[in-house]
């Protein structure tokens, strides 16, 4: 496979517009578990392109999920996203952030992080990126990803070049009011949050949460999702009552094994009305000593 970093920009744009499986990153090892199955469906299903269940067998869930993340040691950092639905999902208006002020992107004002400058990020998927049913995407947060995991990531959420099979891993987009990470080791080792969300790009329109994970204890205001009392949003679970995943040790990762246990599926700020802050994350995720970026977690249910 030709490294994506070497493709002409026109060819890359064409590839993104017609791809029916997630990008495997330049220099991918070609393992089918990394790229997932090819989609045979046309377009994303569900509300707002959320990839909800369409015709035929229902999916394992009705929206994308964060299924694995590694926060330490820093060179091995990654985030994995899985499509458990039965429809291809267009990620052009999907974003990822590790800062509780992510919803401010809708204001049209500069994104001023409440956390750690350079370490916090708010990034958008490149236009035309799609993820097939059952497939995964892996995002790297450190230049050492390939050396640590012996494969390439699909995207990088840092502006520090991430090597990829002799080239460079494609970067996530830095939206007008967002930010790529500018330092190494972006995911905080002692506790933080990560939120996948959708936004139309229209100033004033609300964000829609897709999935949310928080790990560790005693998290600060910028390290949890809490849009209660923010105009336009419904009340969310008090940060002091939210369930958090365990804190993995260096070399370990957090691996999702249960699909959103305890989550309220109505009356929330989620893409399909879910309240993502109500999920019992301590039950949903386990610590594993064998990280598997790009491969569907063996502990998850299958079709």
């Amino acid at each position: 496979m030709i490294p994506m970093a070497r493709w002409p920009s026109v060819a890359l744009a064409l590839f993104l517009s017609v791809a029916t499986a997630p990008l495997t990153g330049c220099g991918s090892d070609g393992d089918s578990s990394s790229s997932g199955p090819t989609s045979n469906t046309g377009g994303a299903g569900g509300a707002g392109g959320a990839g909800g269940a369409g015709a035929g067998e229902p999916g394992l869930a009705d929206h994308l999920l964060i299924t694995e993340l590694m926060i330490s040691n820093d060179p091995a950092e990654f985030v994995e996203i899985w499509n458990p639905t039965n429809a291809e999902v267009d990620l052009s208006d999907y974003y990822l952030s590790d800062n509780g002020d992510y919803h401010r992107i809708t204001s049209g004002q500069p994104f001023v992080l409440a956390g750690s400058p350079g370490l916090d990020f708010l990034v958008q998927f490149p236009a035309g990126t799609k993820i097939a049913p059952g497939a995964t995407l892996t995002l790297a947060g450190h230049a050492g990803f390939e050396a640590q995991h012996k494969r390439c990531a699909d995207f990088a959420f840092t502006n520090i070049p991430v090597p990829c099979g002799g080239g460079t891993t494609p970067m996530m987009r830095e939206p007008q009011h967002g930010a790529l990470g500018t330092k190494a080791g972006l995911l905080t080792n002692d506790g933080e949050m990560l939120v996948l969300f959708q936004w139309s790009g229209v100033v004033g329109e609300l964000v829609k949460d897709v999935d949310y994970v928080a790990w560790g204890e005693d998290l600060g205001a910028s390290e949890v999702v809490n849009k209660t009392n923010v105009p336009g949003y419904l009340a969310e679970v008090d940060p002091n009552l939210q369930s958090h995943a365990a804190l993995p040790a260096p070399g370990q990762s957090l691996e999702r094994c249960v699909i959103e246990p305890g989550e309220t599926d109505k009356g929330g700020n989620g893409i399909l009305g879910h309240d993502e802050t109500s999920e019992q994350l301590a039950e949903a995720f386990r610590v594993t000593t064998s990280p598997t970026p790009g491969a569907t977690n063996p502990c998850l249910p299958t079709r």
Side-chain angles (χ1 to χ4, degrees):
M1 178 176 179
I2 300 173
M4 288 186 60
R6 300 178 184 175
W7 289 6
S9 58
V10 173
L12 176 58
L14 178 61
F15 173 82
L16 289 172
S17 68
V18 301
T20 56
L23 303 176
T24 56
C26 47
S28 169
D29 57 13
D31 185 347
S32 61
S33 65
S34 299
S35 60
T38 300
S39 169
N40 293 316
T41 59
E57 292 296 321
L60 294 170
D62 54 14
H63 60 79
L64 302 186
L65 295 171
I66 297 169
T67 46
E68 190 173 6
L69 61 158
M70 191 166 185
I71 61 175
S72 180
N73 56 3
D74 290 346
E77 276 192 359
F78 71 86
V79 175
E80 179 187 88
I81 296 170
W82 176 48
N83 180 4
T85 78
N86 70 342
E88 181 181 77
V89 178
D90 188 334
L91 298 174
S92 300
D93 58 356
Y94 277 61
Y95 299 73
L96 189 73
S97 182
D98 67 342
N99 192 282
D101 284 339
Y102 68 100
H103 57 86
R104 292 186 181 180
I105 192 174
T106 66
S107 69
Q109 301 298 314
F111 183 57
V112 180
L113 296 170
S116 305
L119 290 177
D120 287 356
F121 59 88
L122 192 161
V123 294
Q124 182 179 5
F125 280 92
T129 303
K130 297 178 181 180
I131 181 170
T136 61
L137 280 174
T138 304
L139 292 79
H142 196 285
F145 178 89
E146 183 181 18
Q148 290 287 319
H149 297 291
K150 312 305 179 188
R151 58 151 289 165
C152 286
D154 298 297
F155 294 106
F157 53 92
T158 171
N159 69 356
I160 300 173
V162 176
C164 173
T168 304
T169 302
M171 288 184 184
M172 294 282 279
R173 295 168 61 191
E174 181 172 328
Q176 183 178 2
H177 303 299
L180 281 162
T182 59
K183 298 180 180 180
L186 298 177
L187 298 176
T188 305
N189 297 352
D190 59 358
E192 197 180 20
M193 60 154 277
L194 191 68
V195 62
L196 178 68
F197 67 98
Q198 187 185 42
W199 179 49
S200 67
V202 176
V203 172
E205 290 195 0
L206 303 180
V207 302
K208 298 177 182 179
D209 299 334
V210 178
D211 201 21
Y212 162 57
V213 181
W215 59 94
E217 301 297 335
D218 301 321
L219 303 184
S222 68
E223 298 171 323
V224 292
V225 167
N226 180 22
K227 297 186 291 299
T228 301
N229 298 325
V230 176
Y233 293 99
L234 299 170
E236 296 177 317
V237 176
D238 186 300
N240 294 318
L241 301 177
Q242 292 181 19
S243 172
H244 298 162
L247 190 67
Q252 300 176 336
S253 70
L254 282 174
E255 179 181 63
R256 177 184 286 279
C257 288
V258 185
I259 296 178
E260 302 195 313
E263 183 167 294
T264 303
D265 61 3
K266 295 181 177 64
N269 298 307
I271 195 167
L272 295 172
H274 293 210
D275 180 357
E276 294 297 329
T277 64
S278 65
E279 181 179 356
Q280 297 302 300
L281 294 170
E283 179 183 347
F285 284 84
R286 72 178 184 184
V287 173
T288 177
T289 58
S290 302
T292 56
T296 303
N297 299 346
C299 59
L300 280 169
T302 57
R303 297 177 188 275

